[in-house]
Structure formats: C-alpha cells, structure tokens
Amino acid sequence: MITMNDARPIILKLGGSAITDKAVEACPRNELINRMAEEVKRADLDNLIIVHGGGSFGHPTAAKYGIKEGFKEGDLMQKFGCAETHHMMTVLNGIVMDAFILHEIPAVSVAPLNCMVTDNGKIRTFDESAFKAMGKLIFTPVMYGDAVMDEKLGFTILSGDQLVTYLALKYNAERIVVGVDTDGIFEEDPKVNAEAKPIKHLNLAELKALQPKLGKADGVDVTGGMAGKIAELIPAVEAGIPVTVTGATKNLSIYRALTGQSVLGTVIEKT
C-alpha cells in the first residue's frame, strides 16, 4: 500500500457474524457497528484497510441462487440472484459506511465487483489504480465480500476472508485483525460446547492441524464459517504476517487489537 507516510497497512476484517444477526435475514447490528466505528476512530490509524463480511445480507441470497458455484447456462433468475446478492452487500456496506462517516473517518467504499475478477474462485485481476490513489491521500478503503465476475464460472462469491489475505500479501501488511462473534479461536465450537477452551496463541503448524476441526457459522454461510476463514488466512500466516482474532462484540477489543495492545482472543504467528 503506497501512502504518504509509506507505512505498511493494517488490515481489519469485520466479520459478518459480528456486524449482523445471521439468524435473521438482512438484520444489521447497528449498535455494534457504531461502536466498532468509534473504536476505529479512536485508534486513529492512517494505514488502515477495512474489509467486512456479508452476514445475513449477502449469504442467504447467494445460497438461494447458488452464486458461489457459478452461472448455470440459461438460468436468468440466477443472473438476477447474482445482481441481488451484490445489491444486498451494497446495502450492508452502506450501513457500515454510515457509521464511519458519522464518526468523521475518511472511509471510501470500494466494491470488488467493479475492480476484481476471479478465476475459478481465486482473484485473478485487480484494477488497483483508484485504490492506490486513495492510499496516497490516506483515505481508508472499505471493501467487502461480494458477487464478482469469474473467468471460468461466469460469476461467483469472493469472500471477505480471501480479500483480506490477498490485500495483506499484495501490500505487505504489518498485521491482520479479525473481529468475530466469539472471543477468538477455540479448541471446539464454543456455540456448541460452552466448555470449549479458548486458544491464546497458535503457530502455523498448529493452525493447519486445527483448521479442519473448526465449526461452521450459525445461519447461512456460503464461505465456510470459521474453518473457511482460517483456510483463507493460512497463506498470510505462511508469509509471516501475524493475525489477531478477537471478539468484536466486546468493548474496546477492536481498538486494542488495532493499537497493538493485549486483547482477549487468539494471536496467530508463523512460528
């Protein structure tokens, strides 16, 4: 990321499970979104890139029309479903952006559909001209999981988690902060087993061993829940970029993680 102070970026992922109620379609958690914006403002970072998930906005429509699996020839309703999925994500993004602008953060929305194309689900091209120009002037780009065009599939779902790792690797991120609806990563799914033990630190080998055991998300999720999230983050950890997974629902967790303070959650490092 090229900025006026040449700082390596920090990537903040706001999980869809945190900013929406995934049990209720198109249900934002406005109070929580507003508090996250307050914490981002308080952190006062000029090297921040934000990505948010789809939660109960993008996932239900994407699942209904099978958008992730790609275009089925002749299915005009599926084309409508792709358009509706993107629209629902712009609606959620608008709610998130409202909070950032209200708190006087120079945040600018960047729709992946308009600047990225995937190839069989993986980012192939990224027109970064405007994105880099924002960085030079120290705007805060805000991207999100989206329905995008795909060279092989016609269209598909580009997850916020893949976006996070792609941007982190491309711009040599200082670190990644992931805000979720649990206090980090647990040995078992804490939503299923209340006695599940939290994990404070994971190295790369431990992360790879744990990843298949992680639970799926509540509600509809076409990107694989926590297991899918960690699978996407592994390449960033392999490149030596540390990741902090923390509970976005807890007061000051995002602020503390962004400013490098100790926080309730899981720190993931290569070694």
Side-chain angles (χ1 to χ4, degrees):
M1 185 68 173
I2 301 174
T3 63
M4 290 177 69
N5 60 4
D6 293 323
R8 296 168 62 194
I10 295 172
I11 316 289
L12 171 62
K13 167 69 188 302
L14 301 177
S17 60
I19 63 174
T20 74
D21 182 346
K22 295 189 78 170
V24 182
E25 189 166 346
C27 182
R29 289 177 168 157
N30 290 305
E31 184 176 342
L32 184 58
I33 292 170
N34 187 67
R35 181 166 57 72
M36 287 180 184
E38 289 179 357
E39 294 184 23
V40 168
K41 176 65 174 179
R42 181 174 174 180
D44 192 27
L45 300 174
D46 59 12
N47 60 333
L48 186 63
I49 299 172
I50 298 174
V51 177
H52 68 77
S56 62
F57 280 75
H59 291 284
T61 306
K64 177 181 178 181
Y65 292 98
I67 305 305
K68 186 174 178 62
E69 291 73 32
F71 178 54
K72 299 176 181 63
E73 193 67 36
D75 190 341
L76 296 181
M77 285 306 296
Q78 195 193 29
K79 288 173 66 177
F80 165 77
C82 180
E84 184 181 1
T85 299
H86 169 67
H87 171 66
M88 291 303 294
M89 286 307 305
T90 66
V91 172
L92 177 58
N93 179 249
I95 294 169
V96 173
M97 294 301 298
D98 282 347
F100 289 149
I101 297 302
L102 179 65
H103 289 86
E104 299 182 348
I105 298 166
V108 182
S109 177
V110 181
L113 175 66
N114 297 336
C115 60
M116 289 182 165
V117 175
T118 56
D119 185 358
N120 202 26
K122 295 298 181 183
I123 297 171
R124 177 68 177 271
T125 60
F126 173 31
D127 181 353
E128 61 177 332
S129 303
F131 195 86
K132 290 172 69 175
M134 291 174 198
K136 289 179 181 179
L137 290 178
I138 314 184
F139 282 93
T140 300
V142 181
M143 302 187 83
Y144 48 88
D146 201 1
V148 297
M149 298 299 104
D150 187 282
E151 292 184 356
K152 181 176 181 180
L153 302 174
F155 50 67
T156 190
I157 296 298
L158 172 59
S159 74
D161 301 307
Q162 185 185 156
L163 266 174
V164 165
T165 290
Y166 177 87
L167 294 170
L169 293 173
K170 185 172 185 64
Y171 297 115
N172 189 27
E174 175 186 327
R175 52 200 162 87
I176 296 169
V177 174
V178 182
V180 295
D181 63 342
T182 60
D183 294 326
I185 299 174
F186 289 69
E187 291 181 354
E188 300 176 63
D189 187 347
K191 298 174 185 176
V192 176
N193 180 7
E195 302 300 318
K197 295 181 179 180
I199 302 172
K200 292 184 178 181
H201 186 274
L202 286 169
N203 62 33
L204 180 59
E206 293 167 338
L207 181 68
K208 288 182 175 180
L210 179 67
Q211 188 264 334
K213 304 174 186 177
L214 296 172
K216 296 182 178 180
D218 291 339
V220 180
D221 190 327
V222 298
T223 56
M226 183 62 81
K229 187 183 307 296
I230 295 305
E232 293 287 5
L233 287 171
I234 284 174
V237 180
E238 288 176 332
I241 301 170
V243 179
T244 298
V245 182
T246 187
T249 58
K250 293 294 178 65
N251 190 37
L252 295 180
S253 285
I254 295 298
Y255 166 74
R256 291 179 64 86
L258 287 177
T259 53
Q261 301 179 55
S262 62
V263 66
L264 187 63
T266 308
V267 174
I268 307 169
E269 298 176 295
K270 186 173 183 179
T271 56

